[in-house]
């Protein structure tokens, strides 16, 4: 794709900043809704985050109903349960609070609701959807994509549709303050893999390349300190922004081979998404380098390497080394064997990865079965 030919639109209105959650009530009024379904998981309630949000709504006497059945890797069964909850309580809008799982669940509920034409009696026919992320990584707060797991086959399915894009996201970095170290680390690596994969994607275009590259810089600057001290609000703010930028660029430019392998691998062995991406990212980058050396050399520069004395290829390979250093510094596993993935699963994983056409088509280098097998062996 010619990066100078593009359409530029972000459907989701973004309100970003510390303390921004205070503006929630005003946004609810603007969308002309009152009976709100809050989609959340127990972790968010236990961490005391939900009460910060409901307090704002209580002050303005806004009616809300809490749906707290969300689990990691949301399934169709949970989506259907949520849909029944929405109908039973005659809700007029949805607010998803949390990480990728509650947000994807709420998006799926809204899209199913609209596709079944259940919106006839609503004041706002669109059944508005707001997202309030409490983690930094998935980017789901702003994307038109969801990942849903089929509970029987344990396979993850990606769906993309304009109706999945939230109407508003309120990104308040204060809400990520209590996120544990491990989740901060893997979320940050997920955001980084979104920025890198969308930047080198075959569908990358200039405005989103600018956003993705800024996201890479933000991760370089703020992931280590966010993991090192979770109450460093400057670092939390930087990582919230990196997550948002990753989401904006991935939803417009697509992803690549890291995510194509990560979905079947994470689904089959129940390994958190950000952790699988972490393991795969350096190996996939190394594989992709020859498809676009200038971009990978620029990634090295964005990661803080002085490349002026290097050849383009030396600089490009240095980007991979820098990612490995980052992974080591934030204390994450570096091999598939450490996570208990058996070698005899590789053939099946290769076949499942080949079915991830959406992501393989945007990967900068064409991929064959043998290439995937080689990457899995290297990551072992
Ligand atoms: Fe991801």
């Amino acid at each position: 794709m010619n990066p100078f030919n593009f359409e530029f639109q972000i459907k989701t209105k973004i309100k970003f900043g510390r303390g921004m959650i205070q503006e929630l009530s005003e946004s609810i009024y603007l969308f002309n809704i009152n009976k709100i379904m809050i989609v959340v998981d127990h972790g968010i309630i236990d961490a005391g985050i939900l009460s910060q949000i409901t307090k704002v709504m209580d002050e303005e006497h806004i009616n809300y109903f809490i749906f707290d059945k969300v689990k990691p890797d949301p399934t169709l069964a949970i989506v259907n349960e949520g849909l029944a909850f929405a109908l039973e309580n005659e809700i007029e809008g949805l607010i998803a609070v949390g990480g990728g799982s509650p947000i994807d669940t709420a998006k799926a509920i809204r899209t199913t609701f609209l596709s079944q034409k259940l919106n006839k009696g609503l004041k706002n026919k669109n059944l508005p959807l707001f997202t309030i992320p409490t983690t930094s990584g998935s980017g789901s707060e702003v994307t038109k994509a969801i990942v849903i797991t089929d509970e029987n086959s344990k396979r993850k399915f990606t769906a993309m549709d304009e109706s999945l894009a939230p109407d508003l996201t309120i990104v308040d970095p204060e809400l990520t303050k209590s996120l544990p170290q491990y989740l901060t680390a893997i979320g940050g690596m997920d955001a980084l893999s979104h920025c890198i994969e969308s930047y080198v994607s075959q569908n990358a275009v200039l405005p989103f390349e600018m956003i993705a590259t800024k996201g890479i810089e933000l991760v370089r600057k703020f992931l280590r300190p966010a993991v090192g001290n979770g109450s460093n609000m400057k670092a939390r703010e930087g990582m919230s922004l990196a997550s948002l930028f990753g989401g904006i660029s991935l939803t417009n430019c697509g992803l690549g081979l890291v995510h194509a392998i990560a979905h079947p691998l994470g689904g089959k062995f129940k390994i958190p998404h950000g952790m699988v991406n972490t393991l795969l990212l350096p190996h996939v980058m190394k594989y992709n380098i020859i498809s676009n050396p200038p971009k990978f050399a620029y990634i090295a520069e964005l990661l803080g390497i002085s490349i002026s004395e290097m050849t383009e290829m030396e600089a490009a390979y240095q980007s991979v080394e820098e990612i490995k250093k980052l992974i080591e510094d934030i204390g994450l596993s570096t091999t598939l064997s450490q996570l208990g993935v058996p070698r005899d699963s590789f053939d099946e994983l290769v076949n499942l990865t080949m079915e991830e056409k959406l992501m393989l088509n945007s990967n900068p280098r064409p991929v064959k079965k043998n290439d995937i097998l080689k990457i899995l062996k290297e990551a072992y």
Side-chain angles (χ1 to χ4, degrees):
M1 183 177 277
N2 177 354
F4 291 89
N5 281 11
F6 58 82
E7 288 182 16
F8 185 92
Q9 186 185 0
I10 302 168
K11 189 194 157 194
T12 307
K13 179 175 178 177
I14 299 163
K15 286 171 97 81
F16 185 95
R18 291 190 227 173
M20 194 55 85
I21 197 64
Q22 298 305 326
E23 298 197 7
L24 174 61
S25 304
E26 189 192 315
S27 301
I28 290 172
Y29 289 129
L30 282 175
F31 277 83
N32 193 23
I33 48 178
N34 185 26
K35 294 166 93 178
I36 316 275
M37 174 171 169
I38 300 179
V39 181
V40 70
D41 61 43
H42 273 285
I44 303 298
I45 299 172
D46 297 344
I49 298 172
L50 185 64
S51 56
Q52 296 176 50
I53 294 160
T54 51
K55 186 169 165 259
V56 177
M57 296 166 80
D58 286 335
E59 283 164 3
E60 296 295 326
H61 308 291
I62 294 162
N63 292 321
Y64 57 83
F65 303 83
I66 297 170
F67 179 74
D68 61 359
K69 301 276 174 12
V70 178
K71 299 220 164 58
D73 298 333
T75 59
L76 275 178
I78 296 286
V79 173
N80 287 330
E81 213 177 310
L83 184 64
F85 183 96
L87 291 169
E88 191 185 316
N89 294 295
E90 300 178 328
I91 60 120
E92 299 173 356
L94 291 148
I95 300 180
V97 181
S101 299
I103 293 177
D104 282 8
T105 305
K107 286 172 166 179
I109 293 170
R110 195 263 286 265
T111 294
T112 314
F113 192 98
L114 295 180
S115 68
Q116 293 185 8
K117 303 205 171 11
L118 301 169
N119 57 346
K120 293 201 175 85
L122 295 181
K123 280 180 281 177
N124 188 330
K125 296 274 181 278
N126 191 34
L127 189 71
L129 167 64
F130 297 179
T131 56
I132 303 177
T134 63
T135 64
S136 298
S138 78
S140 189
E141 61 269 22
V142 78
T143 69
K144 57 184 177 196
I146 51 167
V147 181
I148 295 287
T149 301
D150 178 331
E151 47 269 73
N152 299 320
S153 66
K154 293 196 172 63
R155 284 189 62 190
K156 291 186 173 187
F157 292 94
T158 306
M160 278 188 114
D161 190 81
E162 288 299 327
S163 73
L164 291 166
D167 297 286
L168 169 77
T169 184
I170 298 181
V171 185
D172 184 339
E174 297 279 358
L175 300 176
T176 66
K177 206 168 163 181
S178 60
L179 191 67
Q181 202 174 39
Y182 175 69
L183 296 181
T184 303
I186 62 170
M189 289 305 296
D190 192 22
L192 180 61
S193 58
H194 296 157
C195 291
I196 291 178
E197 290 216 283
S198 56
Y199 172 56
V200 301
S201 159
Q202 296 210 36
N203 300 324
V205 290
L206 198 59
F208 300 108
E209 286 182 354
M210 289 163 62
I211 290 170
T213 49
K214 190 68 199 172
I216 297 169
E217 264 188 312
L218 286 165
V219 173
R220 187 256 297 168
K221 206 166 163 191
F222 294 115
L223 181 55
R224 286 179 177 92
V227 172
N229 179 357
S231 53
N232 177 340
M233 280 316 299
K234 193 79 203 148
R236 291 292 194 191
E237 192 176 64
M239 288 312 300
S240 288
L241 201 52
S243 168
L244 185 69
F245 284 0
I248 294 170
S249 50
L250 88 85
T251 204
N252 286 283
C253 306
L255 292 167
L257 185 53
V258 171
H259 279 76
I261 303 176
H263 284 170
L265 183 54
K268 192 164 174 54
F269 297 104
K270 288 233 157 257
I271 305 169
H273 175 68
M275 187 63 249
V276 191
N277 288 343
T278 304
L279 287 178
L280 296 169
L281 183 61
H283 304 285
V284 172
M285 284 173 70
K286 195 174 135 206
Y287 172 76
N288 280 335
I289 276 176
I290 59 162
S291 66
N292 201 332
K295 276 197 171 177
F296 284 93
Y298 187 46
I299 290 172
E301 208 173 350
L302 294 167
L303 292 172
I305 305 292
S306 170
I307 64 167
S308 56
E309 305 286 307
M310 297 179 190
T311 65
E312 191 169 75
M313 283 307 286
E314 280 170 351
Y317 278 110
Q318 205 52 44
S319 69
V320 178
E321 295 311 310
E322 216 35 49
I323 298 285
K324 287 182 184 167
K325 273 191 212 158
L326 174 63
I327 296 170
E328 200 187 321
D329 286 350
I330 58 175
L332 294 178
S333 312
T334 53
T335 64
L336 286 174
S337 53
Q338 282 172 319
L339 296 176
V341 176
R343 253 179 191 276
D344 62 11
S345 63
F346 284 3
D347 284 344
E348 187 191 355
L349 288 171
V350 167
N351 289 331
L352 292 173
T353 301
M354 289 305 287
E355 290 175 27
E356 299 285 338
K357 301 266 185 280
L358 195 67
M359 287 172 272
L360 292 181
N361 287 343
S362 46
N363 193 66
R365 186 175 173 190
V367 181
K368 293 189 291 298
K369 281 187 172 184
N370 228 6
D371 304 320
I372 303 167
L373 189 62
K374 209 172 149 214
I375 286 167
L376 287 172
K377 283 180 178 167
E378 273 180 24
Y380 194 73

